[in-house]
Amino acid sequence: MLRLEKVNGANVWDILKLSVNDEQKDFVASNEVSIVEAYTAITANGFAFPFGIYDDDILVGFVMVGFDTDDYWDDAPAIAKGNYNFWRLMIDKKYQHKGYGKKTVELALDFIRTFPCGKAEYCWLSYEPENTVAKELYLSFGFKETGDMDGEEAIAILKL
């Protein structure tokens, strides 16, 4: 059974060992960068929820959810203010093409809909326009592209 477990002292080192295929490395930040971004967001009065993705006791990936902006996010897209962000998703290269990505999006949206930081109207995310696999996955859940960009990434939103 697939489940999310908060990043903690017992699992962080295993999460840091996860990786995607070489052709995917331009589409997703490393887990090292993600965990550093989570820490810096939290210390800047922001919210980040990094999780390991487990199939029973087997670590298969990493996902991170955020909320709102933090004190230092100067170029945040307007949609970020007061809304949840599906910040990161990666499935380790050994476990791809087994349905883990789709099930993880479901679990992350279930978590977001508990509104751990309070009510919000939207969940938003961004992805490289060339990442057609991610785009198709997110659109299948009802995310809709807004036409806005977060740097060079397309923004899509889902009404909660």
Side-chain angles (χ1 to χ4, degrees):
M1 178 171 185
L2 208 65
R3 64 183 172 83
L4 304 181
E5 182 177 312
K6 288 181 182 178
V7 172
N8 59 59
N11 66 13
V12 68
W13 300 110
D14 291 329
I15 290 169
L16 292 176
K17 293 175 189 172
L18 300 174
S19 64
V20 295
N21 291 309
D22 287 342
E23 62 271 12
Q24 298 169 314
K25 289 187 178 177
D26 289 339
F27 294 148
V28 65
S30 69
N31 293 340
E32 292 92 340
V33 168
S34 296
I35 291 169
V36 167
E37 287 179 344
Y39 175 81
T40 57
I42 291 166
T43 61
N45 299 308
F47 297 92
F49 301 91
F51 297 98
I53 306 163
Y54 288 84
D55 187 355
D56 291 324
D57 292 329
I58 300 169
L59 178 64
V60 299
F62 172 82
V63 65
M64 188 160 72
V65 170
F67 177 75
D68 203 42
T69 61
D70 63 47
D71 293 344
Y72 300 106
W73 194 6
D74 297 329
D75 60 347
I79 191 68
K81 193 69 180 156
N83 288 303
Y84 289 89
N85 172 228
F86 195 95
W87 197 345
R88 290 280 152 64
L89 171 61
M90 70 81 64
I91 304 298
D92 185 80
K93 59 188 170 190
K94 295 183 295 195
Y95 301 104
Q96 292 184 9
H97 308 293
K98 298 178 189 237
Y100 291 127
K102 185 173 186 174
K103 184 63 177 163
T104 299
V105 173
E106 291 173 7
L107 290 173
L109 288 173
D110 288 348
F111 171 76
I112 289 167
R113 288 184 174 119
T114 69
F115 300 106
C117 300
K119 283 286 194 185
E121 187 173 1
Y122 295 102
C123 175
W124 71 280
L125 51 79
S126 64
Y127 48 83
E128 299 286 339
E130 307 82 39
N131 191 349
T132 56
V133 172
K135 178 180 179 173
E136 289 175 19
L137 174 65
Y138 299 135
L139 295 182
S140 76
F141 279 89
F143 282 89
K144 296 190 184 332
E145 289 187 350
T146 64
D148 295 328
M149 302 292 281
D150 182 15
E152 295 183 14
E153 296 186 352
I155 292 176
I157 61 172
L158 176 71
K159 188 153 176 70
L160 293 173

